[in-house]
């Protein structure tokens, strides 16, 4: 019983930390002081580091939902799906510039991070469908999506 309550408190604390980090990353970018995250969550900095030992650990947890949202939006391929999926990606970049900053940092710290590959995997069938439907240029390739995201950022 005591262990269950401890787990529930830990889960609630982690949720508070993620909510605070999501808000502050959106407001102030990836380099927001982690002390500010802990303060907004109402916990001490030691608690933050116990749950997320590194900034990148916290960022990956926060931005996993961005990847999940993108993957969910990319589930159905067909006419117009590229444009809809592109809209989801641009919205993520514009509403949370820290998403791109985190991806860049992750590539530096974790060469096997796979964020770009994950985006490309979602977009590949949509680029193909959009080319077949003549919704995009014939020479558009999936790597152009990442280039365009960098331009939006």
């Amino acid at each position: 019983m005591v262990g269950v309550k401890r787990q529930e408190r830990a889960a609630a604390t982690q949720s508070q930390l993620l909510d605070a980090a999501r808000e502050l990353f959106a407001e102030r970018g990836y380099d927001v002081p982690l002390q500010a995250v802990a303060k907004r969550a109402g916990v001490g900095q030691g608690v933050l580091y116990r749950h997320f030992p590194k900034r990148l650990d916290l960022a990956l947890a926060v931005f996993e939902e961005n990847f999940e949202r993108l993957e969910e939006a990319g589930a159905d391929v067909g006419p117009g799906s590229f444009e809809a999926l592109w809209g989801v990606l641009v919205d993520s970049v514009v509403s949370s510039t820290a998403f791109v900053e985190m991806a860049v940092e992750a590539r530096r710290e974790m060469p096997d991070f796979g964020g770009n590959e994950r985006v490309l995997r979602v977009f590949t069938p949509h680029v193909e469908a959009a080319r077949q439907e003549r919704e995009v240029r014939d020479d558009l390739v999936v790597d152009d999506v990442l280039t365009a995201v960098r331009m939006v950022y």
Side-chain angles (χ1 to χ4, degrees):
M1 183 77 165
V2 173
V4 171
K5 288 188 181 210
R6 184 177 298 141
Q7 288 174 338
E8 288 173 358
R9 281 195 312 270
T13 299
Q14 185 165 330
S15 180
Q16 290 171 278
L17 286 165
L18 290 172
D19 289 345
R22 185 178 306 107
E23 292 168 9
L24 287 168
F25 284 158
E27 291 170 16
R28 297 168 57 184
Y30 179 71
D31 290 325
V32 65
L34 293 181
Q35 181 180 11
V37 174
K39 183 176 180 180
R40 180 151 313 171
V43 300
Q45 205 165 344
V47 172
L48 169 68
Y49 286 117
R50 194 167 33 254
H51 285 272
F52 302 101
K54 297 185 312 189
R55 173 184 302 277
L56 187 56
D57 296 329
L58 178 60
L60 288 172
V62 168
F63 294 111
E64 176 60 25
E65 72 183 25
N66 287 23
F67 283 120
E68 290 172 359
R69 186 172 152 225
L70 189 66
E71 289 167 344
E72 183 179 306
D76 295 321
V77 179
S81 67
F82 174 82
E83 183 178 352
L85 185 59
W86 175 251
V88 170
L89 183 58
V90 168
D91 180 59
S92 291
V93 171
V94 170
S95 66
S96 181
T97 58
F99 181 66
V100 175
E101 294 168 354
M102 180 277 305
V104 170
E105 181 68 19
R107 281 202 335 244
R108 270 194 288 258
E109 284 193 37
M110 303 167 43
D112 61 341
F113 165 59
N116 285 349
E117 291 77 14
R118 203 167 165 185
V119 170
L120 294 176
R121 191 171 39 253
V122 171
F123 266 91
T124 296
H126 296 275
V127 168
E128 296 297 323
R131 280 201 318 247
Q132 288 177 0
E133 294 291 325
R134 302 245 186 256
E135 296 170 346
V136 298
R137 295 172 22 173
D138 287 339
D139 61 346
L140 181 77
V141 294
V142 72
D143 287 334
D144 294 337
V145 171
L146 291 180
T147 301
V149 166
R150 289 182 194 104
M151 292 168 66
V152 168
Y153 172 71

